[in-house]
Amino acid sequence: MTPEDMLSGRRKLAAILVVLLTVAVSWWGGIDRKTEEYIDDATVQALAAFATARVLNAVITTAQSVEVGQSSGIGVKLETSIQPLELLDPVNDLVEQYSTVMQFAVGSLVTQKLLIEIVSTEFFKILLTAFGVVVVVGLFVARGRYATLPLKLFALAALLRFLLVLVLAANGLVDQAFVSPKTQENMQQVEVLSQEVQAELSAAAAEGEEAEEEGWWDSMSAKVKALVDVDRYKAMIEKLRNIVPNVLNLMALFVFKTLIMPLLFLYLFLRGFRAIWGADFRSMVKAELDEIRAELSMRQQGD
């Protein structure tokens, strides 16, 4: 056996092993299950963040509607009132944008889950297996002259089968190591501050109800006190403004794992497709078919 034959035999063996390993991993499906588990966890987290956004929006809206005032109550109705938390309009607008981002994040994760389920179906597994069989057979027919096109078809099928899964699996590893802890930390901070503001609003409402049950003078005194109780409303405004960095962080984190990574998948897919098929797909197929026809014609002439 010549060195060329030995090298050719080793290449065939390596190609067969790669094909068999790829098909085996495809039918095993362990990576698919792990990726689906990550997407399910990320979807639950995104839904929780969306729920937090809706609660926060309701808290700010309620806070902005609070009126503090007093009335003379002696024949002529004379009222003065202010809404001390109207200054929170920019914060409320940001929270509404945050809610929109969370809706997009949930939709993106649901779409990713659907795509994973599609590429994990029996159809893709059987298609990849069929191309693998054609490749193995092609390696032993006419000394592998016809194996180039089947190899490219098998590589394309493997790209479709595994690229999305591997990209999302890698995204899951990065998310669990770095992104998810920061996401959870920011969500907890938003929830704590929202609960504190809710408690302040509930306390203010309870004081107002108690004042209405007392006499006219006590009620009026309580309202005047509430009107000049600037510290309470300053504290509420400060807490809600402190939420802004956490909200911005959450928006960035969810955009990273639901938008940037899918775009990375698309980029890798296009690069992989170009690497497999070359710049001109039609010319490559035509060249392969012409080579096969020429080989068949030569055999017929030899017969």
Side-chain angles (χ1 to χ4, degrees), residues 16-116:
I16 292 171
L17 290 176
V18 169
V19 169
L20 293 177
L21 180 61
T22 303
V23 172
V25 172
S26 176
W27 283 100
W28 172 53
I31 301 176
D32 302 327
R33 290 189 292 271
K34 289 294 183 181
T35 305
E36 288 183 10
E37 289 176 5
Y38 154 69
I39 294 177
D40 289 339
D41 293 340
T43 303
V44 171
Q45 191 178 56
L47 287 171
F50 175 71
T52 302
R54 301 308 301 168
V55 170
L56 182 58
N57 181 257
V59 168
I60 295 176
T61 302
T62 302
Q64 288 181 301
S65 67
V66 171
E67 291 187 1
V68 178
Q70 57 177 325
S71 173
S72 65
I74 50 175
V76 179
K77 189 175 183 183
L78 180 62
E79 294 185 351
T80 59
S81 65
I82 61 171
Q83 291 178 302
L85 300 180
E86 275 295 324
L87 298 173
L88 293 172
D89 271 339
V91 179
N92 200 22
D93 292 340
L94 177 63
V95 171
E96 289 178 356
Q97 294 175 7
Y98 168 55
S99 177
T100 301
V101 171
M102 291 305 100
Q103 286 181 323
F104 169 80
V106 172
S108 175
L109 289 167
V110 170
T111 303
Q112 292 175 26
K113 175 71 178 293
L114 178 62
L115 291 175
I116 289 293

Side-chain angles (χ1 to χ4, degrees), residues 252-282:
L253 290 168
F254 276 101
V255 167
F256 172 76
K257 66 181 181 181
T258 59
L259 178 63
I260 294 178
M261 294 308 291
L263 288 177
L264 177 61
F265 157 69
L266 179 61
Y267 172 77
L268 291 176
F269 175 78
L270 293 176
R271 289 296 299 269
F273 185 86
R274 183 173 298 178
I276 291 171
W277 293 107
D280 192 345
F281 172 75
R282 290 179 299 178

Side-chain angles (χ1 to χ4, degrees), residues 133-168:
V133 171
V134 174
V135 168
V136 173
V137 172
L139 289 172
F140 293 97
V141 174
R143 303 182 66 177
R145 294 179 181 177
Y146 307 130
T148 303
L149 184 59
L151 273 171
K152 292 184 177 183
L153 290 173
F154 178 80
L156 180 60
L159 185 69
L160 291 172
R161 172 68 179 88
F162 289 115
L163 182 58
L164 177 63
V165 176
L166 293 176
V167 167
L168 293 180

